[in-house]
Amino acid sequence: MPVPMIQRHLFGPGPSNPYPEATAALTHPLLGHLDPAFLEVMDSACDGLRAVWGTGNRRTLPLSATGSAGMEAAFVNTVEEGDVVVVAVNGLFGERMCDVAARCGAEVVRVDFPYGQPIDPQRVAEAHPAPKIIAAVHAETSTGVRSDIAALGELKGDALLLVDAVTSIGGIELRADDWGVDIGYAGTQKCLGVAPGLAPFTISDAAFERRVERPRSWYLDLGMLGGYAGEAQGRARTYHHTAPTAMIASLDAGLRRISDEGLDNVWARHQAAGDALQEGLEEMGLELFAAEGHRLPELTTVKVPEGVDSAAVRGYLLEHFSLEIGAGVKEHASTVWRIGLMGPNANPGSVALVLGALQEALRKVPQPV
Amino acid sequence: MPVPMIQRHLFGPGPSNPYPEATAALTHPLLGHLDPAFLEVMDSACDGLRAVWGTGNRRTLPLSATGSAGMEAAFVNTVEEGDVVVVAVNGLFGERMCDVAARCGAEVVRVDFPYGQPIDPQRVAEAHPAPKIIAAVHAETSTGVRSDIAALGELKGDALLLVDAVTSIGGIELRADDWGVDIGYAGTQKCLGVAPGLAPFTISDAAFERRVERPRSWYLDLGMLGGYAGEAQGRARTYHHTAPTAMIASLDAGLRRISDEGLDNVWARHQAAGDALQEGLEEMGLELFAAEGHRLPELTTVKVPEGVDSAAVRGYLLEHFSLEIGAGVKEHASTVWRIGLMGPNANPGSVALVLGALQEALRKVPQPV
């Protein structure tokens, strides 16, 4: 028996519900990865990605795997055995960066900040006199915190600035070139409003020149992938691997939707939804987790009230409203909820729904004595 | 302007046109990767994969990237610096194995066979007295040749047998357990009739025990991925990365379609289509490239007749019939065509179409003087 279809409100930390245009494009007639008609779609998607990254990098493309593979591609192409990598850690994805960089042979210099707080660019920049790479997370999915990448870019010196934009791209201001981002990776399943499966990636020419000549990963080798995505458009494509053509068509459709609405408008819509949600939660007497002034509009973290069974509330929301929100991570697993309003979900109706549903759940769910 | 939709007959080496059930499932309401409803889909897909692999391996799952990442996962999880890996090379994908294994630190012992010929299991087994791994390609996508994996399994000794089943899975007989396959990877976009984007993967318990404890790749680390796919079903899932939930729903639907038709029937359908195509090509006076007795039914290689412009014929087919066939690879690029009849395309109508279209193209395309 096939599993019955269930319509969910995906208000967790991602995936979000996709834009309808992105879903529809998944069923466009499939194209071969070398078909001239597909290469047009790929070029269009790469153009759309440049817009949401805020970059003119010709090497801007969707990697054929999820956002975490984007992180791996970033490090495996730039880290040689023994290279110093400074990593700013203020959440789970900063921690993951340390693991991934170490596996690539990096000497990792880790600079920790409390979960819920942004990074301090000054402390990060002073952590080592001459790192090859400084790495940081723009929008920490695990805590709902935004860090100041522009400030880090001003302080980076000769280091390459490597940035995780998984939860920021397509949702909040992101200006890779203006901010001095050399290498960036993201995901499709959050504010871009596309199903999970691709990692939007960008690397500057200068960073590409300093890459590892023959990285340990064949699949993520940017030297080979450049030809595949047509680097400078119009140049001959080379076969590297079979591109996930359906997913790329979907990404292209999602990016066109964003472009049609206007990127500034999309950012404003995410900000308005996040502001309304955060106000509403505080009006309910709940306390937000992320530090004031550094809260992401697209992903809100809120403390579970004392004595409330966090998992039971999430279960109630799923069962009664088919509404998913996320737990916290690590030591905050049962004391924090994560509520995402991303992509098409960044709208007033979603705010009203999640506030109403949460209110009912807090009334109805029996609490442990 | 969006790129207009174009309906192609994907008769190249892959991707193939997907089964309609697989396409439809891409637009099922998206589920979160930790949703109990999605875990049912994942479990079902893993069960379906066990059936097409012919394995009872509990570690059988779709990796979140394309088939080439499956190759990388196979080596990066099993090769320590200096391990001896014997690779049978009779085409492009055997060559790629050498590159990928070497990047993982392997001492590669390469055993070459002419393109168009199958491997000789005896020669492969005798190439080294005690390799850690023996690797071979079941169905060489670059040449249309099937090799005898069962025979290699009998001769493998203490080595782990690592097999590329990208173009065989779901199309021709594949019995991983019976044949002694320890590690296998595949793709979704050929005979499984699903869009490209996932790598069906399987590894035996014994091989898993001999894996690398902390592989250089975080993304493809099987030790972490086991928990993600629920290894022994019913056990708690652990978050590793965000699963590409739409693609996995599509894979599940494709596998159910195969199961409903009956795997033996699906194999027979591919065989019948391939036989008919190959007879038809020979009746047209064309010469097949792959060695007789070792030809894949799902992927036929045929020599371009003397004096015929290979690319012009492929262009004509694309323009007049919206029909894609593939070029040959490397030194055979302009002297061989590759015609795939995979998944839903393995049917008499497709045979008739491609034979008729090719006949017209050979008549109409002006030949160089």
Side-chain angles (χ1 to χ4, degrees):
Chain A
M1 278 290 294
V3 183
M5 291 186 217
I6 303 178
Q7 179 77 50
R8 295 287 197 215
H9 301 286
L10 298 178
F11 294 170
S16 167
N17 299 99
Y19 286 114
E21 293 87 344
T23 300
L26 285 169
T27 56
H28 290 188
L30 195 72
L31 294 172
H33 56 292
L34 301 173
D35 192 317
F38 170 69
L39 301 181
E40 277 187 62
V41 175
M42 175 66 111
D43 284 348
S44 169
C46 292
D47 282 344
L49 285 180
R50 283 181 196 96
V52 288
W53 274 112
T55 186
N57 290 340
R58 55 186 175 146
R59 290 182 188 86
T60 302
L61 76 165
L63 300 180
S64 305
T66 68
S68 296
M71 183 190 290
E72 188 145 308
F75 287 107
V76 82
N77 280 284
T78 52
V79 174
E80 309 260 14
E81 195 72 35
D83 280 344
V84 173
V85 177
V86 171
V87 182
V89 178
N90 66 332
L92 189 68
F93 293 91
E95 301 208 19
R96 181 174 296 180
M97 279 180 162
C98 298
D99 186 354
V100 171
R103 290 183 193 229
C104 293
E107 185 189 317
V108 174
V109 178
R110 177 178 167 147
V111 190
D112 274 281
F113 303 92
Y115 276 38
Q117 294 293 328
I119 65 167
D120 172 356
Q122 194 74 42
R123 264 190 60 209
V124 176
E126 288 168 356
H128 190 277
K132 176 166 183 191
I133 294 167
I134 297 175
V137 177
H138 184 207
E140 246 300 347
T141 318
S142 63
T143 64
V145 166
R146 177 186 347 215
S147 286
D148 187 347
I149 300 300
L152 195 54
E154 281 176 18
L155 300 168
K156 70 175 180 178
D158 289 334
L160 296 170
L161 179 57
L162 190 164
V163 170
D164 176 323
V166 170
T167 296
S168 57
I169 196 166
I172 57 171
E173 188 181 22
L174 172 64
R175 303 192 190 275
D177 286 357
D178 292 349
W179 296 351
V181 174
D182 297 287
I183 304 140
Y185 63 87
T188 47
Q189 75 276 16
K190 313 224 181 210
C191 301
L192 291 181
V194 176
L198 298 173
F201 194 90
T202 191
I203 183 168
S204 69
D205 282 356
F208 187 74
E209 289 308 313
R210 292 169 67 183
R211 79 187 186 283
V212 180
E213 197 57 48
R214 188 168 183 252
R216 289 169 175 184
S217 171
W218 179 94
Y219 190 66
L220 300 172
D221 182 341
L222 289 175
M224 297 170 120
L225 282 167
Y228 147 90
E231 239 165 63
Q233 292 183 19
R235 282 182 38 198
R237 309 301 170 108
T238 51
Y239 166 64
H240 177 256
H241 67 280
T242 301
T245 51
M247 279 299 307
I248 291 169
S250 180
L251 172 62
D252 182 47
L255 290 166
R256 282 170 185 274
R257 158 66 195 255
I258 289 172
S259 161
D260 288 348
E261 185 176 342
L263 186 55
D264 286 342
N265 296 331
V266 172
W267 292 347
R269 179 162 56 76
H270 280 84
Q271 189 65 50
D275 286 349
L277 173 63
Q278 291 167 15
E279 279 168 34
L281 291 169
E282 293 193 311
E283 279 168 19
M284 283 169 60
L286 298 175
E287 198 183 337
L288 300 178
F289 175 71
E292 204 176 344
H294 307 279
R295 291 171 187 155
L296 295 170
E298 69 275 33
L299 183 62
T300 295
T301 45
V302 56
K303 295 185 186 173
V304 178
E306 194 84 26
V308 168
D309 181 340
S310 158
V313 169
R314 289 191 297 112
Y316 187 92
L317 292 173
L318 197 66
E319 192 181 334
H320 289 258
F321 301 99
S322 204
L323 190 162
E324 177 180 277
I325 68 170
V329 302
K330 299 188 73 175
E331 67 265 36
H332 308 288
S334 61
T335 58
V336 166
W337 289 311
R338 292 183 293 161
I339 306 175
L341 295 177
M342 304 174 178
N345 293 344
N347 71 66
S350 297
V351 175
L353 169 56
V354 69
L355 287 173
L358 189 57
Q359 244 158 351
E360 177 177 319
L362 287 170
R363 266 200 320 271
K364 294 273 182 76
V365 172
Q367 301 310 328
V369 196
Chain B
M1 279 288 295
V3 182
M5 291 186 217
I6 302 179
Q7 178 77 49
R8 295 286 197 216
H9 301 286
L10 298 178
F11 294 170
S16 168
N17 299 99
Y19 286 114
E21 293 87 345
T23 300
L26 285 169
T27 57
H28 289 187
L30 195 71
L31 295 172
H33 56 291
L34 301 172
D35 191 317
F38 170 69
L39 301 182
E40 277 187 62
V41 176
M42 176 65 111
D43 285 347
S44 169
C46 292
D47 282 344
L49 286 179
R50 283 181 197 96
V52 288
W53 274 112
T55 187
N57 289 341
R58 54 187 175 145
R59 290 181 188 86
T60 302
L61 76 165
L63 299 180
S64 305
T66 67
S68 296
M71 184 190 289
E72 188 145 307
F75 287 107
V76 81
N77 280 284
T78 52
V79 173
E80 310 262 14
E81 195 73 35
D83 280 346
V84 173
V85 176
V86 171
V87 182
V89 178
N90 67 332
L92 190 68
F93 293 90
E95 300 207 18
R96 182 174 297 179
M97 280 180 162
C98 297
D99 186 354
V100 171
R103 290 183 194 230
C104 293
E107 183 190 317
V108 174
V109 178
R110 177 179 166 146
V111 189
D112 274 281
F113 302 93
Y115 276 38
Q117 294 293 327
I119 67 168
D120 172 355
Q122 194 74 42
R123 265 190 58 209
V124 176
E126 287 168 357
H128 190 278
K132 177 165 183 193
I133 293 167
I134 296 175
V137 177
H138 184 209
E140 246 300 347
T141 317
S142 64
T143 65
V145 166
R146 176 188 344 216
S147 286
D148 187 347
I149 299 301
L152 195 54
E154 281 175 18
L155 300 169
K156 70 176 180 178
D158 289 334
L160 296 170
L161 180 56
L162 189 165
V163 170
D164 176 323
V166 170
T167 296
S168 56
I169 196 166
I172 57 171
E173 187 182 23
L174 173 63
R175 303 192 189 275
D177 286 357
D178 292 351
W179 296 352
V181 174
D182 297 288
I183 304 139
Y185 63 87
T188 47
Q189 76 276 16
K190 314 227 179 204
C191 301
L192 291 181
V194 176
L198 298 173
F201 193 90
T202 190
I203 183 168
S204 68
D205 283 356
F208 187 75
E209 289 308 312
R210 291 170 68 183
R211 79 186 186 283
V212 180
E213 196 58 47
R214 188 168 183 251
R216 289 170 175 182
S217 171
W218 179 93
Y219 190 65
L220 300 172
D221 182 340
L222 290 175
M224 297 170 121
L225 283 167
Y228 148 89
E231 241 164 61
Q233 294 182 17
R235 282 182 37 198
R237 309 300 170 111
T238 51
Y239 166 63
H240 176 256
H241 66 281
T242 300
T245 51
M247 279 298 306
I248 290 169
S250 181
L251 172 62
D252 182 47
L255 290 166
R256 282 170 186 274
R257 158 65 195 255
I258 289 171
S259 161
D260 288 348
E261 185 176 342
L263 186 55
D264 287 340
N265 297 330
V266 172
W267 291 347
R269 180 163 55 75
H270 279 84
Q271 189 66 50
D275 286 348
L277 173 63
Q278 291 168 14
E279 279 167 35
L281 291 168
E282 292 193 312
E283 278 168 21
M284 283 169 61
L286 298 174
E287 199 182 338
L288 300 178
F289 175 71
E292 203 176 344
H294 307 279
R295 291 170 186 155
L296 296 170
E298 69 274 34
L299 183 62
T300 295
T301 45
V302 56
K303 295 184 186 172
V304 178
E306 194 85 25
V308 168
D309 181 340
S310 158
V313 169
R314 289 191 298 112
Y316 187 92
L317 293 173
L318 196 66
E319 193 181 331
H320 289 258
F321 300 99
S322 205
L323 189 163
E324 177 180 279
I325 69 169
V329 301
K330 300 187 73 174
E331 67 264 36
H332 308 289
S334 62
T335 58
V336 166
W337 289 312
R338 292 183 294 162
I339 306 174
L341 295 178
M342 303 174 179
N345 294 344
N347 70 66
S350 297
V351 176
L353 168 57
V354 69
L355 287 173
L358 189 58
Q359 242 157 351
E360 177 177 320
L362 286 170
R363 264 201 319 271
K364 294 272 182 76
V365 172
Q367 300 309 329
V369 195

